[in-house]
Amino acid sequence: MALSDPGGIIAQPWTVIDRSRSDVVAEVKKIVLEHDVDTIVVGLPVSLSGREGHSAASARQLAEQLGSATGVTVEMHDERYSTVAAERIMREGGAPSKKRRHRRDKVAAAIILSEYLMGRSPETHESGGRS
């Protein structure tokens, strides 16, 4: 998970929520309330050809659940290459391999959010709020 600054310009890694061991929706809802989040961006795992499979359907289902539980806007964003880019950034930054796996997911989330923020229209950018 990543959060943006209040102006919605800079994305920063925040935390990792393990879907197999936690109530993801409740944890995200808590963070949404604590940080006054107005938009949730969910990574959409699509194949290199752009096709959606089982993982994408699962992400879309999670997005619907998050929207219902939090009442905020939920957007989907293509997450292709985000993990590869995160791994490269950490390797180039000298992060030890033992710590990279846990950090990789946070960094990948920040990459996805950053791409989303850069793709928004100027009018949306000026409205502020956190994503």
Side-chain angles (χ1 to χ4, degrees):
M1 187 167 193
L3 290 175
S4 74
D5 64 305
I9 297 169
I10 300 169
Q12 60 185 345
W14 193 254
T15 189
V16 174
I17 300 173
D18 186 348
R19 289 183 72 174
S20 67
R21 293 190 289 164
S22 64
D23 183 358
V24 174
V25 174
E27 289 191 44
V28 171
K29 183 177 179 178
K30 180 180 173 188
I31 292 168
V32 164
L33 293 172
E34 287 175 358
H35 297 281
D36 197 27
V37 172
D38 62 17
T39 303
I40 297 170
V41 179
V42 175
L44 182 61
V46 294
S47 69
L48 295 179
S49 68
R51 291 186 184 161
E52 294 186 20
H54 178 71
S55 294
S58 178
R60 288 189 183 281
Q61 181 180 19
L62 175 62
E64 287 181 31
Q65 292 171 343
L66 291 172
S68 294
T70 63
V72 302
T73 301
V74 179
E75 300 281 346
M76 303 298 294
H77 188 79
D78 186 346
E79 68 174 32
R80 278 180 282 193
Y81 305 112
S82 61
T83 302
V84 172
E87 184 69 29
R88 187 190 76 240
I89 289 167
M90 290 186 304
R91 191 174 44 251
E92 289 173 0
S97 61
K98 290 181 181 179
K99 293 186 178 185
R100 280 202 304 251
R101 181 177 177 133
H102 180 72
R103 291 180 184 169
R104 181 185 61 213
D105 291 338
K106 292 193 293 190
V107 173
I111 290 168
I112 294 164
L113 180 56
S114 180
E115 289 174 352
Y116 169 82
L117 294 171
M118 288 189 299
R120 294 188 311 172
S121 67
E123 299 84 38
T124 306
H125 235 359
E126 292 171 3
S127 69
R130 292 183 74 133
S131 297

